[in-house]
Amino acid sequence: MAGIGLFRIFDPKVRRHLISDEGEVVIDEVRQHWVVYGFPMLEVALATTLLVVLATTSIGGTQVLLVIVLLLLSHAFWQFLTHHRDRFVVTNMRVMRIRGVFSQSIATTPIARVLDITLKKPSIGRILGYGHFVFESAAQDQGFREIRWVSRPDDRDLTIQRVIQRTGLRAAASVDVLEGDEDSDDDGTGPIGMDSAQEVTTTVAPPHHARPPAPTGPKSIFNSERGNWTDDSD
């Protein structure tokens, strides 16, 4: 339990980097597969073995062995933290990669810029359940060229594809709305402080003094104001 609490202290706290006021939410937060902790665990096991040997036998070079044990444990702990803080995050707006223990690196790119994803699953990865993502897009220069040791890669690939698809559909719907707007002068809101209905009314209505005097003869239902406006040239 103490170890879990210690790792929570070093958690990268992804939600601090979300644009909450714009409605950004985490779709998937990808931690590295447990296989990356194999080598640090071997270092811990070796250090433990050396400590047991030092405690049960009297051999020379005790100080040297203690230094080796400390180095092994320090390096293993560093590797644990490095892998623990390496996160690949998919939101409804963008993808992020957060890395680093003391100095932190945060790479982000809009989800719409992710054009192509290659999923590589080595033979041992298919057995243990991990894979590597290769991004072929403008995002590859920002730390997204390759995301390694992804657990449940097939599920993660489908999740990213769904987000990209939904983002494309929303963008297409927005374009259709703008192209279908009858108000070609602006985005449909009219000038500042004036809505579209007011703009149309102001543009169509002629000056008051330009209206001809109302006819004195019998009024016809076809003699509308719009018909009078069209007779101004007479």
Side-chain angles (χ1 to χ4, degrees):
M1 297 298 292
I4 296 176
L6 182 62
F7 277 104
R8 286 181 177 177
I9 294 176
F10 290 99
D11 193 87
K13 298 176 178 59
V14 172
R15 283 163 179 76
R16 287 183 178 179
H17 308 287
L18 299 180
I19 313 175
S20 301
D21 54 347
E22 296 293 335
E24 185 177 23
V25 295
V26 174
I27 304 297
D28 193 10
E29 181 177 345
V30 182
R31 294 175 172 84
Q32 292 186 336
H33 192 267
W34 59 265
V35 73
V36 300
Y37 300 103
F39 187 74
M41 288 298 297
L42 289 177
E43 291 180 321
V44 172
L46 179 58
T48 304
T49 302
L50 290 177
L51 286 176
V52 171
V53 170
L54 289 175
T56 56
T57 61
S58 57
I59 59 175
T62 303
Q63 294 181 348
V64 175
L65 290 178
L66 285 176
V67 171
I68 294 175
V69 168
L70 290 177
L71 289 176
L72 287 173
L73 292 177
S74 299
H75 186 263
F77 184 69
W78 178 261
Q79 291 297 313
F80 270 112
L81 288 182
T82 301
H83 293 304
H84 176 70
R85 291 181 61 85
D86 193 341
R87 303 290 175 86
F88 176 64
V89 184
V90 181
T91 75
N92 58 332
M93 297 181 180
R94 52 186 175 151
V95 291
M96 294 187 293
R97 189 178 185 186
I98 303 175
R99 293 180 293 176
V101 178
F102 296 112
S103 60
Q104 193 176 58
S105 172
I106 305 174
T108 66
T109 191
I111 195 70
R113 296 184 64 188
V114 180
L115 304 178
D116 188 20
I117 303 175
T118 301
L119 175 58
K120 296 182 178 180
K121 293 189 293 183
S123 56
I124 187 65
R126 298 183 65 181
I127 297 173
L128 299 179
Y130 70 84
H132 312 305
F133 284 155
V134 179
F135 290 86
E136 301 292 344
S137 67
Q140 63 188 16
D141 296 331
Q142 301 180 1
F144 295 102
R145 180 66 178 86
E146 188 172 11
I147 307 296
R148 298 177 59 83
W149 315 110
V150 177
S151 60
R152 295 187 292 112
D154 293 324
D155 295 338
R156 264 57 193 265
D157 182 45
L158 289 176
T159 298
I160 297 175
Q161 297 296 341
R162 290 191 187 99
V163 176
I164 294 175
Q165 181 69 14
R166 292 172 183 173
T167 303
L169 291 176
R170 285 196 298 267
S174 300
V175 171
D176 290 341
V177 170
L178 292 177
E179 289 180 351
D181 192 352
E182 295 180 358
D183 190 359
S184 59
D185 294 334
D186 54 17
D187 59 354
T189 59
I192 299 176
M194 179 185 298
D195 58 21
S196 297
Q198 291 175 334
E199 182 184 6
V200 172
T201 302
T202 305
T203 304
V204 174
H208 180 70
H209 60 79
R211 297 184 181 180
T216 56
K219 186 175 182 180
S220 171
I221 60 174
F222 299 102
N223 190 19
S224 62
E225 289 186 357
R226 186 172 299 274
N228 291 335
W229 294 348
T230 59
D231 294 336
D232 286 346
S233 58
D234 295 335

